[in-house]
Amino acid sequence: MNARPTNDDLRLLRALRKQATARIDARIGQAKSDLAPATLKSRLSIKLRDEAKGMGQEAVYWGRNHKGLLAGGIAAILAWFFRRPLADGMIKILDRYFPSPENPDAPQYEPDSHQDRMN
């Protein structure tokens, strides 16, 4: 019942073993090259580029559909960056028309005084 393998059977088994070993070695080589730092760097850069493109497209879509919010946000950011010059300008305007302890010589504001100039 236990027949001894023939030389042809042994050659066939060796050939199959060599093919299997070659396939495993090829897969291991592929895995090593996939995990190489240069490959990871390129895959990461491609992924980041694609995600940045998607975010840019989404931002453009959002901006087109929410123009008022976008304008308000830009205005708020500009107001924040220029808050000191704006505050200084408002103080100058208020000091010009309303006397304060720091500026007692400011002219008094008269609401109806512009009517005389128009006649």
Side-chain angles (χ1 to χ4, degrees), residues 15-93:
L16 290 173
R17 185 181 66 201
K18 284 182 182 179
Q19 282 182 344
T21 303
R23 287 182 182 172
I24 289 173
D25 290 342
R27 287 190 184 219
I28 289 173
Q30 182 67 35
K32 284 182 180 179
S33 68
D34 284 348
L35 296 175
T39 306
L40 289 176
K41 182 180 175 183
S42 66
R43 285 195 324 219
L44 182 63
S45 67
I46 289 169
K47 182 175 180 170
L48 288 175
R49 184 187 67 214
D50 291 345
E51 287 187 15
K53 260 187 196 177
M55 288 174 62
Q57 290 171 348
E58 188 174 338
V60 168
Y61 172 79
W62 191 88
R64 286 182 179 158
N65 292 323
H66 301 91
K67 291 177 183 173
L69 287 174
L70 185 62
I74 291 171
I77 290 170
L78 289 175
W80 174 258
F81 281 122
F82 295 109
R83 66 187 181 277
R84 294 197 194 281
L86 289 171
D88 292 343
M90 287 301 295
I91 288 171
K92 285 180 185 177
I93 290 172

Side-chain angles (χ1 to χ4, degrees), residues 99-112:
S100 66
E102 295 94 25
N103 188 11
D105 298 330
Q108 292 291 325
Y109 175 70
E110 298 175 16
D112 295 328

